[in-house]
Amino acid sequence: MFGNPIGHSKSPMIHRSFAEQTQQDLSYEAILAPVDGFAEAWQQFVATGGKGANVTVPFKEVAFRLADHCTLRAMQAQAVNTLYIEEDGRLVGDNTDGAGLVADLIRLGASLEGAKVLILGAGGACRGVIGPLLTAGVAVVHVANRSVDKALLVAGDFNAQVSGSGFADIPKQPWTLVINATSAGLHGSRPDIDESHLSHCELAYDMLYGTEPTAFLMWAQQSGVKCIADGLGMLVSQAAESFQIWRGITPAVTPVLNKLQELMQQ
Ligand code: NDP
């Protein structure tokens, strides 16, 4: 896994657990690449026998440009979190974040067929999940962002099921699923949206995760939303999807998620 910083990364533990569970011989390390030196770090990795890797902040967009070929979901995300080399030597870029989110929503019992989804935030994470949510059968997706132009830009890259606005202009619709894809929670805050948008919400989901519920999740709960969840399950599920791409085996997510939750409570 390439990132900067990497100190907080849970990916080595997750992939080693998957390897143990599926009896795969796998070496998975976190590699700290210089902020302006991802391509060189990748070449060095390949020269020493590396075959595939995850990519995280701030390299997802550079990895997208570096890949010889990208999957549709990576093209929609304009970002790559999974790299692998094909037999013909081509470097392929994929993005498993959206599949990870959809798998986690299903694990949580969310009904996606026909759902009206409100996504807060218009960064890379938002871009990466829209395609997989539509494929999973959601009816509409509205992207609301602090910077309105970014929300409109993202919405414009998808079909008519996807719209965009600022936080103050979110259409009044019965949003059944509200997803926080902003990084506001990193600073203890939440996107500034009206509480009325939560009145039909069956699940409030924050892609961010930590030892305590995020400001957004606490607010959603206080506003009467029955089911809240953070992005730890998405993290483990996107890793499972990457593992499947590299190894052709789908590992079980729940035991690894439980172990991670236990470790985080210590
Ligand atoms: P980006 O930096 O690409 O985008 C950040 C987004 O957050 C932008 O839309 C930005 O709005 C918005 N934002 C930042 N601060 C605030 C604030 N105070 N109030 C309102 N909006 C704010 O980040 P990513 O899209 O890559 O990631 C978003 C979040 O998703 C992060 O918390 C990340 O950790 C999490 N994530 C979790 C994953 C998982 O597996 N669980 C996977 C990927 C991401 P603006 O455009 O106006 O600046």
Side-chain angles (χ1 to χ4, degrees):
M1 190 274 299
F2 290 85
N4 189 334
I6 51 165
H8 62 285
S9 178
K10 306 201 179 333
S11 296
M13 177 263 169
I14 295 172
H15 281 281
R16 285 172 199 156
S17 301
F18 287 161
E20 198 182 325
Q21 186 197 106
T22 58
Q23 297 171 340
Q24 289 282 301
D25 184 13
L26 174 131
S27 157
Y28 189 106
E29 307 295 334
I31 298 172
L32 180 71
V35 172
D36 57 354
F38 174 72
E40 293 76 15
W42 171 259
Q43 295 309 341
Q44 203 177 340
F45 172 73
V46 174
T48 54
K51 294 199 164 55
N54 284 130
V55 180
T56 188
V57 178
F59 301 125
K60 289 183 178 185
E61 285 79 17
V62 197
F64 174 64
R65 291 193 293 272
L66 188 72
D68 299 316
H69 167 75
C70 282
T71 60
L72 174 63
R73 54 195 187 176
M75 306 264 274
Q76 287 175 330
Q78 294 181 15
V80 154
N81 79 338
T82 306
L83 284 169
Y84 59 95
I85 301 169
E86 286 209 300
E87 276 176 15
D88 62 5
R90 280 194 319 166
L91 178 60
V92 182
D94 199 349
N95 191 310
T96 64
D97 282 341
L101 174 71
V102 168
D104 201 38
L105 294 173
I106 291 169
R107 179 187 69 86
L108 291 161
S111 344
L112 295 180
E113 191 65 44
K116 289 177 182 280
V117 183
L118 173 60
I119 304 183
L120 310 171
C126 164
R127 263 189 185 283
V129 302
I130 296 175
L133 281 170
L134 293 174
T135 304
V138 309
V140 288
V141 174
H142 185 79
V143 177
N145 195 45
R146 184 175 59 180
S147 316
V148 186
D149 49 342
K150 245 164 94 180
L152 297 176
L153 204 68
V154 171
D157 282 348
F158 290 86
N159 65 19
Q161 287 168 280
V162 185
S163 53
S165 74
F167 291 145
D169 304 309
I170 298 171
K172 296 217 178 310
Q173 289 235 26
W175 304 112
T176 47
L177 178 57
V178 181
I179 300 172
N180 184 17
T182 74
S183 46
L186 287 174
H187 315 288
S189 64
R190 64 167 178 85
D192 184 19
I193 66 161
D194 196 273
E195 200 179 27
S196 62
H197 296 303
L198 296 181
S199 56
H200 290 78
C201 179
E202 291 163 13
L203 170 64
Y205 193 97
D206 199 325
M207 288 194 190
L208 192 65
Y209 51 84
T211 48
E212 301 295 330
T214 64
F216 169 73
L217 292 181
M218 285 196 288
W219 172 70
Q221 197 166 42
Q222 281 155 15
S223 307
V225 178
K226 293 271 180 314
C227 189
I228 60 166
D230 74 11
L232 195 66
M234 173 180 173
L235 177 79
V236 181
S237 295
Q238 61 79 26
E241 182 84 5
S242 296
F243 191 91
Q244 201 284 331
I245 290 168
W246 297 322
R247 297 289 164 142
I249 299 175
T250 305
V253 162
T254 308
V256 180
L257 179 56
N258 290 344
K259 191 164 136 189
L260 205 50
Q261 276 164 340
E262 254 172 53
L263 285 173
M264 287 176 71
Q265 291 313 318
Q266 283 171 9

